[in-house]
Amino acid sequence: MTTASKKSVTFSPTITGMQVMSIYDYTPSEISAAWYNQEEMDHITNRCFKIILRMESGRSNRKICTRGLEGHSTLGSISKKKNRAMAIDAVLDEQAKQWNDENNNKVNNEGDQAIADAYKSTTSSCQMWAQVVGKRDEESAEAIYYADEDKEDNDDATATTEPCSIKSRRVEQKVASSLKTSGIHREVVRAAAA
C-alpha cells in the first residue's frame, strides 16, 4: 500500500513590499491616462464585434489580430459552453456517485481526489489547447523581442512576426513613452486597444 504525499503551503520568511499609489492621489489627467472611460470601452467593444463578424464571415485577413476573440465567436462560444457543462456534469456525477454509494469507503481526501480526477479528465483537452496557444504566443513574443535586439545591433534588420504582433508592439511602445511623462505605468491591455 502506498501513501499519498501530503501537499502543503509554505511562506517565505522574507517579506517584500511595494508602494502603490492610491487612486485618490492621482490627478484627473493621470486617471484619464490610466483607465478607460465609457466611450473608449464602447469603441473597443464595437471594434471587437466587427472583427468577430469579419472572422465568422471568412473575410478576416492577416492584418487584423483576432487573438483573444476566439471564445467570443459563435463556434468558440458553443465550444466553451459545452466544455464547461461537461466539466460541471462530471463533478456532479462523481459527487452523486459518492453520496449514493452506501459502501463508499472513500474518506475525504480520496473522495476529493476522485472529484478532481473527474474534472481533469473532461478538461484535459482544454488544457492541452491552452498550452498550444500559450506556446504560440511565447514564440511570437520571443520573435518580437529578438527582432528588437537584432534591430539594435543592425539597423537594417526587419522583424519576421505576425502583423498583429508588430502592430501591438508599436502601439505598446507609443503608449509606454507617453505614459513615462505622466509617471504612470500601465498594463499592456490599454496598448492593445489603441
Side-chain angles (χ1 to χ4, degrees), residues 120-133:
K120 187 176 181 181
S121 70
T122 58
T123 60
S124 60
S125 63
C126 299
Q127 180 182 359
M128 286 189 335
W129 179 246
Q131 287 173 326
V132 167
V133 172

Side-chain angles (χ1 to χ4, degrees), residues 129-183:
W129 179 246
Q131 287 173 326
V132 167
V133 172
K135 184 67 175 169
R136 201 179 311 149
D137 289 350
E138 176 187 13
E139 290 167 358
S140 187
E142 283 179 350
I144 292 168
Y145 177 78
Y146 291 119
D148 286 349
E149 272 189 357
D150 291 345
K151 192 169 185 168
E152 289 174 8
D153 293 343
N154 180 3
D155 290 338
D156 296 331
T158 57
T160 57
T161 59
E162 295 177 36
C164 63
S165 300
I166 294 169
K167 181 180 178 190
S168 297
R169 179 71 177 155
R170 287 183 187 142
V171 171
E172 176 189 346
Q173 289 171 339
K174 181 180 173 186
V175 171
S177 65
S178 69
L179 292 176
K180 284 180 185 173
T181 59
S182 68

Side-chain angles (χ1 to χ4, degrees), residues 81-140:
K81 286 176 184 173
K82 180 182 166 200
N83 289 332
R84 286 181 181 165
M86 286 173 40
I88 290 168
D89 286 345
V91 168
L92 294 177
D93 287 348
E94 178 59 32
Q95 285 179 337
K97 184 174 130 188
Q98 289 179 23
W99 289 332
N100 294 332
D101 186 5
E102 292 179 20
N103 298 322
N104 187 359
N105 293 327
K106 294 180 182 177
V107 291
N108 289 339
N109 288 344
E110 291 175 359
D112 294 346
Q113 187 59 49
I115 291 170
D117 291 344
Y119 178 81
K120 187 176 181 181
S121 70
T122 58
T123 60
S124 60
S125 63
C126 299
Q127 180 182 359
M128 286 189 335
W129 179 246
Q131 287 173 326
V132 167
V133 172
K135 184 67 175 169
R136 201 179 311 149
D137 289 350
E138 176 187 13
E139 290 167 358
S140 187

Side-chain angles (χ1 to χ4, degrees), residues 39-89:
E39 184 180 327
E40 291 171 315
M41 289 299 299
D42 292 343
H43 176 74
I44 292 166
T45 303
N46 289 334
R47 186 160 191 278
C48 288
F49 280 132
K50 287 178 184 176
I51 291 170
I52 291 168
L53 288 173
R54 186 178 269 177
M55 236 171 49
E56 291 186 334
S57 71
R59 294 181 297 139
S60 182
N61 60 31
R62 301 274 300 157
K63 293 181 182 179
I64 297 174
C65 183
T66 58
R67 181 68 184 95
L69 298 177
E70 304 91 347
H72 298 283
S73 67
T74 302
L75 185 61
S77 181
I78 291 169
S79 177
K80 189 168 33 173
K81 286 176 184 173
K82 180 182 166 200
N83 289 332
R84 286 181 181 165
M86 286 173 40
I88 290 168
D89 286 345

